[in-house]
Amino acid sequence: MKIVLKFGGTSISTAKNIRKVSSYVHSLSKQNQVVVVCSAIDGVTDDLIQISKFIQRGNKEHANRLTAKIIARHRQLAKETITKSQNKKKLLDALNSDLTELEELLHGVILLGEVTARSLDYIISFGERLSIKIIAHALLDLGSKSIPLTGKEAGIVTDSNFGESRPLMDTTRLRILRNVDSLLSKKIIPVIGGFAGADQYGNITTFGRGGSDYSATIIASCIKADEIWLMTDVDGLMTADPKTVKNAKVLKEVSYAEAIEMALFGTIKKSSNEN
Ligand code: ASP
Ligand code: MG
């Protein structure tokens, strides 16, 4: 089967979780063609948004402190997750080059003193840019062949509606097919960053919060996947958020309309928490 597997931020939030996810993908890929789509590490997108808010308010010190936290967190995760020293070095080099670009970008935005919708998308796309490198190297560590690709590198082309872009499917379909299918035929597992793509001029765009599920469905449609699995850290739709409500239960059956209503409430809760 050709399967697209999407992992959210909490599924990859610790070295233990990343190893669990990668050994699952590693074994699944023995019998199937697997494409991984992942979110940023849990909380990183929120931190990047917070950094932009600090910059907008002229609070350079807080912005720098939070940036240092993101850098330390990814380096630490890389060191804890990867066992082979050669792979660890390769990963740290890859992360360093992204982290340097992030620092330069933030420095530029601090000098300008303003965060446009376009620069915000560029900034918040770094969460997935970093997480895909860690997951792909965790797969390499297990002996799988794997390549990390950002949404832009994979071929997701969107309109220029920064913050809530929509894919241009005709172009996207051609590019994703070419880039992703060629990796699958070489038995390489593509690890693609969700949430972001690029417009026709190459500017980074995002689909809006929680957009990695959307990326996974776009990719699955383009490569005509047999199935798409949106993996999460609970066993199904539940009566409430188990982090808040201790005795929340998995629902045996829900109608399509009920599922949509619940998903909508989840999204509203998430975005109102951020403001
Ligand atoms: N990382 C993005 C967010 O936190 C996208 C996603 O997780 O689906 O909204
Ligand atoms: Mg999500």
Side-chain angles (χ1 to χ4, degrees):
M1 270 207 305
K2 204 191 243 187
I3 315 169
V4 174
L5 244 77
K6 183 260 170 181
F7 294 96
T10 25
S11 308
I12 52 170
S13 58
T14 61
K16 195 172 152 213
N17 286 352
I18 295 174
R19 277 201 292 260
K20 221 193 271 174
V21 160
S22 40
S23 61
Y24 181 67
V25 171
H26 175 72
S27 53
L28 195 70
S29 69
K30 289 187 178 142
Q31 309 284 343
N32 301 280
Q33 291 191 312
V34 179
V35 176
V36 175
V37 175
C38 61
S39 299
I41 309 286
D42 190 35
V44 173
T45 310
D46 288 335
D47 284 348
L48 290 165
I49 291 173
Q50 190 56 48
I51 289 171
S52 312
K53 286 187 180 157
F54 284 143
I55 294 175
Q56 258 157 344
R57 291 187 215 131
N59 201 337
K60 189 177 147 186
E61 248 173 56
H62 277 82
N64 286 338
R65 211 174 301 153
L66 200 47
T67 309
K69 180 187 139 192
I70 291 180
I71 294 176
R73 186 164 177 209
H74 285 88
R75 286 205 182 124
Q76 181 68 22
L77 256 186
K79 285 181 196 151
E80 284 175 13
T81 308
I82 309 297
T83 52
K84 300 196 177 82
S85 61
Q86 202 186 349
N87 290 334
K88 199 180 286 194
K89 185 176 178 308
K90 259 174 61 189
L91 172 56
L92 286 168
D93 286 348
L95 290 179
N96 277 344
S97 114
D98 283 343
L99 291 167
T100 306
E101 186 178 324
L102 175 64
E103 281 182 308
E104 281 171 3
L105 167 65
L106 293 174
H107 184 64
V109 180
I110 287 171
L111 287 179
L112 281 170
E114 65 170 0
V115 185
T116 60
R118 190 172 93 174
S119 28
L120 181 63
D121 269 1
Y122 186 8
I123 294 171
I124 62 179
S125 73
F126 272 85
E128 277 73 10
R129 229 174 112 167
L130 297 165
S131 66
I132 52 169
K133 308 254 152 79
I134 303 184
I135 311 293
H137 283 80
L139 284 165
L140 288 175
D141 218 33
L142 293 171
S144 279
K145 284 193 274 182
S146 177
I147 288 184
L149 295 171
T150 61
K152 176 180 175 178
E153 288 164 345
I156 293 184
V157 184
T158 73
D159 60 24
S160 304
N161 213 348
F162 298 103
E164 45 184 22
S165 64
R166 287 295 165 260
L168 304 178
M169 282 307 285
D170 290 343
T171 323
T172 298
R173 201 174 294 284
L174 290 173
R175 294 195 188 183
I176 295 267
L177 249 185
R178 190 188 56 205
N179 298 337
V180 176
D181 256 355
S182 64
L183 292 177
L184 290 178
S185 62
K186 286 184 236 154
K187 299 203 180 317
I188 299 173
I189 305 171
V191 177
I192 306 175
F195 185 45
D199 70 6
Q200 286 162 294
Y201 310 101
N203 300 306
I204 307 286
T205 53
T206 67
F207 292 128
R209 295 306 306 270
S212 294
D213 289 359
Y214 191 35
S215 303
T217 56
I218 292 168
I219 293 162
S221 149
C222 293
I223 62 167
K224 294 196 166 48
D226 297 296
E227 290 189 4
I228 166 167
W229 300 353
L230 304 176
M231 310 292 278
T232 182
D233 49 351
V234 288
D235 291 331
L237 275 178
M238 301 186 73
T239 49
D241 181 349
K243 284 182 203 130
T244 326
V245 182
K246 289 274 164 300
N247 58 353
K249 290 188 180 60
V250 173
L251 294 163
K252 285 217 181 74
E253 211 179 284
V254 276
S255 72
Y256 189 63
E258 283 165 339
I260 289 181
E261 193 180 314
M262 286 169 72
L264 198 64
F265 274 123
T267 315
I268 291 167
K269 187 172 158 269
K270 194 173 179 191
S271 54
S272 65
N273 275 349
E274 273 143 28
N275 298 322

